[in-house]
Amino acid sequence: MSHFSTNGAFARVFAFTFRLWMRQSGKVAIILALVLISTAADIAVPVITGQLVDAVAGANTPWRAFAALLAFGVLSIAAKILSYFFIIDLTIPTMRSAEAEAFAHVQRLPADWHANAFAGSTVRKITRGAWALDDMGDLLLLALLPSVLILLGTIGTLTAFRWEVGLVAGAGAVVFLALSLSLTLFWVAPAARLANAQDSRVSGALADAITSNGVVRAHAGELREDARLTGVLTKWAHRTRRTWRRGTWSGLSQDMTIWGLRAAVLGGALLAYTRDLADAGEIAFVVSALGMLDGYLRQMGNHVRGLQKAVNDAEELVDLMSDPREQSVARQPETGLPPRAAALAFDHVHYGYAGAATPLFTGLDVTIPAGQKVGLVGRSGSGKTTFVKLIQRIHEVTDGAITLGGVDIARVPLHALRRHIALVPQEPVLFHRSLAENIAYARPDATMQDICAAAARAGAADFIKRLPKGFGTEVGERGVKLSGGERQRVAIARAFLSDAPVLVMDEATSSLDSEAEAKVAQAAERLMEGRTTLVIAHRLATVERMDRILVFDQGRIVEDGTPADLMARKNGLYRALRARQTLAG
């Protein structure tokens, strides 16, 4: 890991943190003022201590110095307590904003990003980064800042006592800080970054196996998953051990430097005393100042190590926030869609997956009139699903244009475009919320009557009524409490409720039993009336009643026509695929 990348991490994290703090600049200003007051009171303590010793040694009254010492102590404590309350009021909104913004950002990252990311790792990055911001506030505002101020003030008072002693104290402090920063930034931080990355992988591996527990059990894969996690944990243990050991050696080096500084400063003061250049009060002042200098330097070493850990913990969150979002509008100027826009057209569309040697679609032209029911068939990987994702702008065309109702969809805001398209996926995913909430997700303002009607049209009302809480039943993570057919019917009900002019169905009835499939097929035909419908078909029998079938092969539409027309082609691909499925059945 390069030094540049380490320094860059600190700069990125600090910039991110300060941006969040500046939204509450008034609280930050109050905290800084309280820190200055507390620090000034602490710096005065060694000076007052020296005056107290002089008063006692000279048989003078010590009470004035004693009262001043107590007053500065009360002032320091009061300012610190107030600063702690204000840092709480600063930190909690900061953490809340960071997590909310990260969540919103992840929700809007491209589909390719989500396809390559572990959900568990992403959650870990966000939560760990938010808690790191808590440490950042404490360390920067309440720990390092007062430590630096007290360090400078103490060196200044020592210089006023004897410039040689002040020079030694200052030089020793510079050496200590340079050593601390160098070890932390260039030795401990790179190791900590690798340990954090592996920690995120542990979270991802755990979440991956736990969410797929049904598959693990079905294939007796418990021991294999145990072994896989052991491998991930072994690497985590190695990286974490290396980080902690480096931190220990760094702390030891700092302690040795502090002892050297202590010996030099105290030795210089004692040398001045033996030469009658300093009295007992001045020696007491030096001892008190040295104790403060010693303590704050030691704290600064710990604070620098803590800050390094906080920066490393927040780094993945900050990097996550820098990933480019899905573009809402790919081409300017922005425009809207006509109401109920449903006519689709691909105009010389080019598209290729990132990193692919050749594009999938080259000069693709096809027109789908409003209200037409179209089946999309072909071998796996031929382009059917990508065709639909381009319409939804989950992928963006490389060249050419796709229009909906005559409008280039690249100029339409994503939320407006996707409200025009209802989707029933082959493997529906439900939220761990109530059935009513899952169905109404397509239209949050829907009434309970609307939800019940959509469920009835999807053939879902009967099984929902049999559940103990009916539409209030929570379905479990990803809908695990429901059968595959039940999840499919809930997803279909959601699509019915959306009332979008364009409907996409990815073999929507494949998980249903024959009776439910018949009911859903009838409801689907009613839903398709007046809507442009695209049906991705794996079982070709499901598209026999379509108005038109597009046959894909290696990114090209090789056949286009009615089911009867395609079956009449003796050497046609659709006919061959249909015959193969008939024989297999």
Side-chain angles (χ1 to χ4, degrees), residues 327-410:
Q327 288 182 295
S328 177
V329 179
R331 300 174 190 167
Q332 298 294 337
E334 179 180 317
T335 188
L337 285 169
R340 308 299 296 175
L344 284 163
F346 279 60
D347 182 11
H348 208 63
V349 167
H350 293 251
Y351 174 75
Y353 293 109
T358 57
L360 177 63
F361 295 137
T362 303
L364 182 63
D365 291 295
V366 63
T367 300
I368 301 175
Q372 190 172 66
K373 295 178 287 187
V374 180
L376 310 179
V377 305
R379 302 182 181 93
S380 296
S382 59
K384 307 183 297 295
T385 301
T386 303
F387 183 85
V388 169
K389 287 184 175 180
L390 288 174
I391 296 172
Q392 298 171 282
R393 281 186 53 204
I394 293 174
H395 300 314
E396 298 283 0
V397 299
T398 308
D399 196 11
I402 300 173
T403 61
L404 176 58
V407 175
D408 185 350
I409 64 173

Side-chain angles (χ1 to χ4, degrees), residues 13 20 31 41 61 106 118 201 209 217 245 275 278 294 311 318 379-380 387 397 432 478 484 490 549 564 580:
V13 172
L20 293 175
I31 292 169
T61 178
V106 168
F118 278 119
R201 292 189 186 100
R217 288 174 178 270
R245 284 179 175 174
R275 294 180 178 178
D294 183 315
V311 168
V318 175
R379 302 182 181 93
S380 296
F387 183 85
V397 299
H432 185 21
R478 301 175 69 85
V490 171
I549 293 176
R580 192 175 304 151

Side-chain angles (χ1 to χ4, degrees), residues 448-469:
M448 196 63 213
Q449 184 178 0
D450 295 331
I451 294 169
C452 292
R457 296 175 71 190
D462 290 340
F463 88 78
I464 292 175
K465 290 176 182 177
R466 290 195 297 269
L467 296 172
K469 295 184 180 180

Side-chain angles (χ1 to χ4, degrees), residues 38-387:
S38 175
T39 301
D42 287 343
I43 291 172
V45 168
V47 178
I48 303 300
T49 300
Q51 293 174 359
L52 180 64
V53 172
D54 278 339
V56 172
N60 297 321
T61 178
W63 298 114
R64 184 174 180 179
F66 179 69
L69 194 65
L70 292 181
F72 279 115
V74 170
L75 181 62
S76 175
I77 292 173
K80 285 176 182 175
I81 290 174
L82 286 173
S83 68
Y84 295 159
F85 280 108
F86 275 98
I87 201 74
I88 291 172
D89 287 342
L90 172 69
T91 299
I92 290 177
T94 298
M95 293 174 65
R96 181 183 61 201
S97 296
E99 293 203 56
E101 288 183 20
F103 173 77
H105 186 78
V106 168
Q107 291 287 92
R108 291 158 180 79
L109 288 173
D112 288 345
W113 185 94
H114 284 278
N116 291 300
F118 278 119
S121 294
T122 303
V123 170
R124 178 65 172 152
K125 291 174 183 179
I126 293 173
T127 55
R128 184 173 59 209
W131 281 107
L133 294 177
D134 173 33
D135 293 335
M136 295 274 288
D138 292 345
L139 289 166
L140 286 174
L141 297 177
L142 300 185
L144 278 172
L145 176 60
S147 294
V148 170
L149 293 175
I150 287 178
L151 180 65
L152 294 175
T154 303
I155 291 173
T157 57
L158 285 171
T159 303
F161 161 65
R162 288 196 66 82
W163 70 268
E164 301 95 331
V165 174
L167 180 62
V168 170
V174 169
V175 170
F176 174 83
L177 293 176
L179 178 66
S180 297
L181 290 172
S182 298
L183 289 173
T184 297
L185 291 176
F186 305 137
W187 196 47
V188 180
R193 181 180 293 111
L194 292 175
N196 278 347
Q198 191 63 23
D199 181 67
S200 295
R201 292 189 186 100
V202 170
S203 298
L206 285 167
D208 190 40
I210 291 171
T211 55
S212 303
N213 181 257
V215 178
V216 174
R217 288 174 178 270
H219 296 278
E222 290 88 348
L223 292 177
R224 279 177 286 153
E225 292 303 318
D226 292 347
R228 183 173 181 275
L229 182 62
T230 297
V232 177
L233 286 171
T234 298
K235 192 170 185 179
W236 167 84
H238 166 71
R239 290 184 172 184
T240 302
R241 184 182 297 109
R242 177 177 59 187
T243 301
W244 290 358
R245 284 179 175 174
R246 287 189 179 187
T248 301
W249 282 111
S250 175
L252 179 61
S253 301
Q254 292 167 14
D255 285 346
M256 293 172 63
T257 305
I258 285 178
W259 269 103
L261 173 62
R262 181 184 299 163
V265 172
L266 186 56
L270 291 174
L271 182 62
Y273 178 77
T274 59
R275 294 180 178 178
D276 295 327
L277 298 176
D279 57 23
E282 290 172 325
I283 294 300
F285 154 68
V286 171
V287 171
S288 179
L290 182 60
M292 183 173 290
L293 185 68
D294 183 315
Y296 275 96
L297 278 177
R298 191 181 301 276
Q299 287 182 26
M300 286 183 71
N302 293 332
H303 297 333
V304 168
R305 290 196 293 273
L307 185 62
Q308 165 262 313
K309 182 180 183 303
V311 168
N312 285 136
D313 285 350
E315 183 182 358
E316 289 185 318
L317 170 62
V318 175
D319 288 344
L320 177 67
M321 294 293 288
S322 67
D323 287 332
R325 289 186 177 194
E326 191 175 39
Q327 288 182 295
S328 177
V329 179
R331 300 174 190 167
Q332 298 294 337
E334 179 180 317
T335 188
L337 285 169
R340 308 299 296 175
L344 284 163
F346 279 60
D347 182 11
H348 208 63
V349 167
H350 293 251
Y351 174 75
Y353 293 109
T358 57
L360 177 63
F361 295 137
T362 303
L364 182 63
D365 291 295
V366 63
T367 300
I368 301 175
Q372 190 172 66
K373 295 178 287 187
V374 180
L376 310 179
V377 305
R379 302 182 181 93
S380 296
S382 59
K384 307 183 297 295
T385 301
T386 303
F387 183 85

